[in-house]
């Protein structure tokens, strides 16, 4: 009896096992062929891919141009593509070698070393004429094409950003395209920078590629030629015409490296158009550190004495400046002996030499009549709002030119308002310390606003989005920033103060007076709450001061004993003016 029960149990086990395996086989071959497992694998597509050899000429993703129409972070080159499995003795090797100016033996050796479809590694780049000559030979398995290749470390690293595969993002943002088959789970999307913000316009609508099919041993299926497949819509891929100037961006990148700015960066704005010409953040990211290294130019930083521009603007506007009134600049904001013994200074000289005591006392005077003056004037100068272009674009309600741009703050939301009522807290805030944080992009826009007379605009990083034939799809219009503005008189006084920082022999940026053009600006040093080995060192300015064209901000987030910001500003400004005048 016991033996019979065991037999029945074993029989039922095998029956259920057979039923399970049958269902599993049916699931694989009949039921879930296009969305197998929790990963929704398309088994039919995967099967086709296993039997297909391909070479991608263009991934179909849109690209970036600089303001003069030059490609950014992408190379397009004439190259020779070989499918080694189709190589045969019937190929006119000598003719191809002659076109490429190579010995026949060298050409044969290069091909024999290939294991899969690839671009030939040649001693030098081929011309369009050579490309056309090769294609006239009509050799099956050997083709010459303009191949698009994206740089692994993108030019203008943080501002342009990078691309990569993200199946979850595809499912979340591009469900319609996924259903239509215009994108797959392997389609590359923007990971950060403008690649991310402009992704809805740049995402591929289909690749341009050569494909051919093979059997299980990887040998070509005869009777099936190599096929050329491209996008069906001639208006794609789209491209974004940025406001960046390739030469100026290169100058910024090279200068930061030359002076050893390991953490920090630079922002350069065209004052007339309020367009971003160059922006660079250090350290650069790689494919492994893409989310570890943020863009310091669009994230909050402690400004230090650069923030005295806000306190000065408030004092001028509220009529608190008396040039005959002197402040004891031998003392710091704690009322103790300061490291720098500057003597008794009026407000103008205090700004020029960056006396903390003066601006701490001024802030406490202003606080008595208007407790909210600090935020009020920081807003007037555009430090507390998004400074990058934002607006509605088609179905995108809040389209932004800048990736994860932060806004500035005067006070921390984690503290009580009573924490800022003491005279010391007011003094610390007035000189850009305590909890004051702003972005270098906002500071650059503040300088551009002052230079042009007080009118503030959102900063653009792109002029337009265009079809493949160059026709504009979207044009980004200028956005004047809303809100109260400084009076013309206040702006004029600020311009004078900023010029004196460079002109005056005792000014903190007098070293820039040696340049062949006049600079106006403000230096700043900010103590950090964490690592006391380093400070934030700033120089924010514009040039030429008499007829402003460029606003430039430099920040070194690992300032030790070497002032890198002034030399970096000097070298970048010199190169920009050379570019402009040439």
């Amino acid at each position: 009896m016991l033996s019979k029960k065991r037999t029945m149990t074993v029989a039922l086990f095998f029956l259920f096992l057979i039923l399970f395996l049958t269902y599993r086989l049916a699931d694989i071959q009949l039921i879930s062929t296009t969305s197998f497992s929790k990963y929704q694998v398309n088994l039919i597509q995967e099967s086709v891919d296993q039997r297909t050899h391909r070479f991608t000429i263009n991934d179909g993703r849109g690209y970036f141009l600089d303001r003069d129409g030059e490609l950014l972070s992408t190379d397009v080159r004439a190259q020779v593509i070989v499918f080694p499995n189709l190589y045969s003795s019937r190929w006119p090797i000598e003719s191809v070698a002659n076109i490429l100016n190579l010995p026949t033996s060298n050409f044969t050796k290069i091909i024999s070393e290939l294991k899969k479809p690839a671009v030939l590694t040649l001693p030098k780049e081929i011309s369009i004429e050579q490309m056309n000559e090769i294609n006239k030979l009509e050799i099956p398995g050997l083709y010459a094409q303009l191949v698009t290749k994206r740089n692994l470390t993108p030019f203008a690293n943080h501002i342009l950003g990078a691309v990569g595969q993200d199946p979850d993002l595809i499912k979340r943002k591009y469900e319609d395209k996924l259903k239509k088959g215009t994108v797959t789970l392997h389609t590359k999307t923007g990971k950060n920078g403008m690649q991310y913000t402009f992704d809805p316009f740049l995402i591929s609508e289909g690749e341009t590629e050569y494909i051919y099919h093979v059997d299980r041993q990887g040998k070509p299926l005869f009777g099936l030629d190599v096929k050329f497949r491209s996008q069906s819509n001639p208006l794609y891929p789209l491209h974004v015409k940025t406001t960046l100037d390739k030469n100026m961006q290169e100058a910024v990148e090279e200068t930061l490296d030359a002076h050893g700015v390991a953490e920090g960066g630079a922002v350069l704005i065209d004052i007339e158009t309020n367009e971003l010409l160059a922006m660079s953040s250090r350290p650069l990211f790689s494919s492994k550190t893409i989310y570890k290294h943020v863009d310091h130019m669009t994230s909050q930083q402690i400004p230090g004495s650069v923030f005295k521009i806000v306190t000065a603007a408030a004092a001028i506007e509220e009529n608190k400046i008396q040039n005959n009134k002197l402040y004891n600049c031998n003392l710091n904001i704690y009322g103790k002996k300061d490291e720098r013994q500057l003597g008794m200074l009026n407000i103008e000289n205090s700004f020029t030499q960056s006396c903390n005591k003066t601006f701490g006392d001024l802030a406490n005077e202003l606080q008595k009549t208007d407790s909210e003056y600090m935020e009020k004037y920081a807003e007037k100068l555009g430090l507390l709002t998004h400074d990058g272009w934002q607006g509605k674009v088609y179905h995108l309600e809040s389209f932004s030119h800048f990736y994860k741009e932060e806004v500035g703050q005067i006070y921390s939301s984690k503290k009580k308002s009573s924490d800022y009522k003491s005279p010391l807290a007011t003094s610390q805030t007035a000189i850009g310390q305590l909890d004051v944080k702003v972005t270098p992009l906002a500071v650059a826009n503040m300088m551009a606003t002052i230079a042009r007379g007080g009118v503030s605009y959102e900063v653009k990083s792109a002029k337009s989005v265009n079809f493949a034939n160059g026709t504009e799809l979207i044009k980004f219009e200028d956005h004047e920033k809303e809100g109260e503005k400084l009076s013309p008189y206040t702006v004029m006084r600020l311009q004078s103060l900023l010029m004196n920082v460079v002109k005056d022999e005792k000014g903190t940026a007098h070293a820039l007076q040696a340049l062949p053009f006049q600079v106006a600006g403000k230096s700043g040093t900010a103590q950090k709450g964490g690592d006391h080995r380093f400070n934030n060192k700033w120089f924010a300015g514009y040039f030429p001061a008499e007829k402003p064209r460029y606003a430039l901000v430099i920040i070194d987030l690992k300032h030790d004993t070497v002032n890198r910001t002034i030399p970096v500003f000097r070298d970048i400004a010199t190169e920009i003016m050379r570019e402009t005048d040439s």
Side-chain angles (χ1 to χ4, degrees):
M1 189 71 176
L2 186 60
S3 177
K4 188 176 180 181
K5 284 184 177 180
R6 285 178 179 171
T7 303
M8 287 294 291
T9 302
V10 171
L12 285 172
F13 171 76
F14 280 106
L15 177 61
F16 282 121
L17 180 61
I18 291 168
L19 288 173
F20 172 75
L21 292 174
T22 303
Y23 169 76
R24 190 68 170 167
L25 186 62
D27 187 36
I28 293 171
Q29 294 190 343
L30 300 173
I31 301 171
S32 304
T33 54
T34 58
S35 57
F36 179 70
S37 82
K38 65 179 181 180
Y39 300 106
Q40 297 187 341
V41 177
N42 188 323
L43 295 174
I44 296 174
Q45 184 62 48
E46 292 295 322
S47 175
V48 171
D49 288 344
Q50 283 183 359
R51 302 290 182 86
T52 303
H53 283 193
R54 64 185 73 227
F55 183 89
T56 301
I57 298 166
N58 187 315
D59 61 10
R61 185 172 178 82
Y63 49 93
F64 294 105
L65 303 176
D66 85 340
R67 64 175 181 166
D68 296 321
E70 284 196 54
L71 278 168
L72 296 175
S73 197
T74 305
D75 289 328
V76 179
R77 296 181 183 177
Q79 295 184 312
V80 180
I81 305 156
V82 172
F83 287 76
N85 282 350
L86 299 178
Y87 174 50
S88 73
S89 58
R90 291 174 295 177
W91 280 20
I93 296 297
E94 289 187 4
S95 299
V96 178
N98 288 336
I99 293 171
L100 298 175
N101 299 317
L102 285 175
T104 304
S105 58
N106 286 14
F107 182 66
T108 305
K109 185 175 182 294
I110 293 171
I111 294 175
S112 64
E113 291 173 349
L114 296 178
K115 304 298 181 186
K116 60 181 181 179
V119 164
L120 290 186
T121 303
L122 300 172
K124 62 179 182 179
E125 189 175 332
I126 69 169
S127 66
I128 300 296
E129 290 75 17
Q130 288 173 304
M131 183 183 83
N132 292 332
E133 284 185 55
I134 288 171
N135 287 333
K136 284 178 184 178
L137 298 175
E138 297 183 349
I139 305 169
L142 187 142
Y143 312 94
Q145 280 283 353
L146 289 171
V147 177
T148 301
K149 184 180 179 183
R150 300 188 185 279
N151 299 340
L152 294 177
T153 304
F155 178 77
N157 191 276
H158 283 279
I159 179 63
L160 290 186
V163 295
Q165 292 182 0
D166 190 340
D168 290 333
L169 186 143
I170 291 283
K171 286 183 235 176
R172 189 172 66 250
K173 287 181 66 174
Y174 302 109
E175 186 179 356
D176 290 345
K177 290 179 180 288
L178 191 59
K179 287 178 179 177
K180 291 176 184 176
T182 54
V183 301
T184 70
L185 294 177
H186 304 298
T187 299
K188 290 182 178 180
T189 57
K191 306 293 280 184
N192 61 348
M194 293 175 73
Q195 289 283 11
Y196 181 90
T197 56
F198 283 83
D199 197 59
F201 303 106
L202 299 174
I203 191 165
S204 174
E205 295 286 335
E207 299 177 338
T208 300
E209 58 187 358
Y210 282 115
I211 59 174
Y212 82 104
H213 302 284
V214 296
D215 59 19
R216 290 182 180 179
Q217 283 72 43
K219 296 179 180 178
L221 290 173
F222 294 104
L224 294 177
D225 295 328
V226 175
K227 295 179 180 178
F228 180 77
R229 185 170 68 183
S230 64
Q231 289 185 2
S232 57
N233 192 335
L235 294 176
Y236 287 81
L238 302 176
H239 60 265
V240 176
K241 188 171 186 180
T242 72
T243 61
L244 299 176
D245 184 293
K246 192 172 184 179
N247 293 332
M248 293 183 183
Q249 181 71 35
E250 286 174 347
V252 167
E253 305 269 9
E254 290 169 3
T255 306
L256 289 171
D257 290 341
H259 287 276
V261 178
E263 191 169 342
V267 182
L268 177 68
I269 293 175
D270 184 313
I271 290 173
E272 183 180 352
T273 62
N274 221 54
E275 294 176 346
L276 185 74
L277 295 174
M279 187 164 83
S280 184
S281 176
R282 291 293 185 277
L284 300 176
F285 65 79
S286 66
S287 57
K288 294 180 180 178
T289 62
I290 191 168
Y291 297 121
K292 292 181 181 178
H293 296 160
V294 299
D295 187 345
H296 292 306
M297 301 304 99
T298 55
S299 57
Q300 292 181 342
Q301 311 298 340
I302 305 169
S305 293
V306 169
F307 193 75
K308 288 175 184 173
I309 296 170
V310 175
T311 308
I316 296 166
E317 196 99 323
E318 301 296 331
N319 200 27
K320 297 289 184 183
I321 289 187
Q322 301 172 34
N323 280 331
N324 58 350
K325 184 176 180 179
L326 301 178
Y327 296 83
N328 188 354
C329 291
N330 288 327
L331 303 178
N332 58 26
I333 58 173
Y334 302 96
K336 298 179 180 180
K337 184 178 179 181
D338 193 59
E339 291 179 1
R340 297 184 305 151
Q341 294 292 287
L342 301 176
M344 302 298 291
L345 300 178
N346 62 15
I347 287 178
E348 184 174 284
N349 290 331
S350 294
F351 189 90
T352 298
Q353 298 178 51
S354 204
C355 169
N356 290 337
K357 177 65 174 170
T358 300
F359 287 88
D361 289 353
L362 263 179
N364 279 284
E365 288 180 44
L366 288 161
Q367 194 81 0
K368 292 174 185 176
T369 55
D370 184 357
S371 61
E372 297 180 354
Y373 92 90
M374 206 86 74
E375 288 177 309
K376 177 180 172 182
Y377 284 93
E379 282 182 4
K380 284 186 177 185
L381 285 163
L383 295 178
L384 304 184
T385 57
H386 286 107
D387 280 76
W389 195 99
Q390 288 190 328
K392 183 177 180 180
V393 178
Y394 288 121
H395 61 282
L396 304 169
E397 290 294 329
S398 184
F399 183 78
S400 173
H401 280 200
F402 291 86
Y403 175 70
K404 292 187 176 180
E405 180 197 353
E406 296 179 352
V407 297
Q409 67 172 46
I410 303 298
Y411 308 114
S412 171
S413 59
K414 297 178 181 178
K415 293 183 180 179
K416 299 175 183 177
S417 58
S418 57
D419 294 334
Y420 299 100
K421 297 298 183 183
S422 70
L424 178 58
T426 299
S427 295
Q428 289 174 316
T429 303
I431 61 172
Q433 289 285 171
L434 200 57
D435 295 311
V436 180
K437 292 181 180 179
V438 297
T439 69
L441 177 65
V443 173
N445 201 23
M446 174 178 71
M447 301 310 293
T449 299
I450 294 170
R452 76 167 70 88
V455 182
S456 184
Y457 294 91
E458 292 177 350
V459 182
K460 292 192 291 187
S461 67
K463 293 175 179 284
S464 60
V465 177
N466 306 322
F467 289 112
N469 62 6
T471 306
E472 279 185 0
L473 171 64
I474 301 164
K475 182 179 180 181
F476 297 106
E477 304 291 346
D478 294 343
H479 282 182
E480 185 174 340
K481 295 186 76 172
E482 298 178 353
E484 291 185 55
K485 296 176 175 58
L486 297 175
S487 69
Y489 173 76
T490 299
V491 174
M492 182 185 69
R493 288 293 303 272
L494 286 177
Q495 290 172 344
S496 175
L497 288 172
L498 292 168
M499 286 185 71
N500 283 340
V501 171
V502 178
K503 276 186 172 182
D504 194 295
E505 288 184 3
K506 295 181 179 179
T508 55
H510 183 64
L512 295 173
Q513 185 63 19
L515 290 171
F517 49 87
Q518 186 64 52
V519 173
K522 183 74 184 79
S523 60
T525 305
Q527 295 177 345
K528 297 184 181 184
D531 193 341
H532 296 290
R533 293 175 302 165
F534 303 111
N535 295 323
N536 289 354
K537 190 72 175 177
W538 295 71
F539 187 77
Y542 59 86
F543 58 95
E546 301 89 348
K547 207 172 180 183
R549 298 176 71 175
Y550 305 105
L552 176 61
V553 168
I554 311 296
I555 179 170
D556 181 3
L557 297 173
K558 281 196 172 181
H559 169 66
D560 38 34
T561 57
V562 180
N563 184 353
R564 301 176 185 87
T565 56
I566 297 293
V568 169
F569 188 101
R570 177 198 65 213
D571 290 356
I572 291 176
T574 301
E575 185 58 32
I576 298 306
M577 290 303 294
R578 186 181 296 122
E579 283 273 338
T580 303
D581 296 336
S582 62

